[in-house]
Amino acid sequence: MSSREPESAPEPTGPAGSAGVPALPHTWRPRLGPAVAVVMGVVLTAAAAAMWIAFPAEVRAQFNLLQTVTLLLVLLAILFGLQRVARMRVCADERGLTVVNLTRTRTLEWAQVVRVGLRSGDPWVQLDLDDGTTVSVMAIQSADGPRARAAVRELARLVAVQTRTTRDD
């Protein structure tokens, strides 16, 4: 396999739940990203609270309302960003796929997905769609190594099973 060839999946041999095809509904999530996001959120919140409490009362009194609110808003913005990282996933059900990335959620019907690929060097899976566009699936990250490659094969098999037709156009 060359460095830019997509990960390929063998042809499925049976219904969902057999031959490496997950039963529906099924959800894939990254392993490390959500764990890091949750830990960072807890550590950041605890550190901010500990620092505020550790300040002497006369130092805390030097902060006006606007400065205090600004600090809280910065903390909330960072926590919001970490929450977005922690919620990334791709969910498969009978109707299709729901891809939840950092800033956007897309719902796709099975027939819209033409190919599932994870090329060497890509950070996450790409779905090629029937309209010629691609959708990134940040929930299946190449950083997860063998787990990501197995998820790509499962998703590709599931797409093949769900889009199989009796006609050969």
Side-chain angles (χ1 to χ4, degrees):
M1 181 184 298
S2 74
S3 64
R4 297 303 290 174
E5 288 296 312
E7 185 82 21
S8 60
E11 189 67 25
T13 59
S18 65
V21 179
L24 297 178
H26 188 80
T27 301
W28 291 272
R29 296 177 187 275
R31 175 176 287 167
L32 193 56
V36 170
V38 169
V39 169
M40 289 300 299
V42 169
V43 167
L44 183 60
T45 302
M51 287 190 316
W52 185 257
I53 292 169
F55 283 150
E58 55 273 2
V59 171
R60 284 195 307 261
Q62 291 177 2
F63 282 86
N64 64 36
L65 180 62
L66 182 60
Q67 291 170 324
T68 304
V69 169
T70 301
L71 288 174
L72 286 174
L73 288 176
V74 168
L75 175 63
L76 289 175
I78 293 169
L79 291 175
F80 177 75
L82 290 171
Q83 181 269 340
R84 302 298 285 191
V85 169
R87 70 187 279 273
M88 291 186 305
R89 65 188 177 280
V90 59
C91 303
D93 60 23
E94 292 77 17
R95 293 175 308 234
L97 294 171
T98 302
V99 179
V100 180
N101 288 333
L102 285 176
T103 59
R104 189 168 181 198
T105 299
R106 281 214 44 196
T107 302
L108 305 167
E109 295 177 10
W110 288 113
Q112 290 179 270
V113 182
V114 175
R115 189 185 71 80
V116 177
L118 178 61
R119 297 181 303 189
S120 178
D122 282 352
W124 42 71
V125 166
Q126 297 289 321
L127 300 178
D128 291 337
L129 303 183
D130 62 350
D131 64 0
T133 62
T134 60
V135 173
S136 296
V137 179
M138 298 173 81
I140 304 176
Q141 302 176 354
S142 61
D144 286 340
R147 183 174 183 266
R149 289 187 295 276
V152 170
R153 286 189 297 272
E154 288 176 350
L155 183 54
R157 288 176 181 142
L158 189 55
V159 166
V161 166
Q162 293 296 325
T163 59
R164 180 172 286 153
T165 64
T166 56
R167 291 180 26 191
D168 186 17
D169 293 346

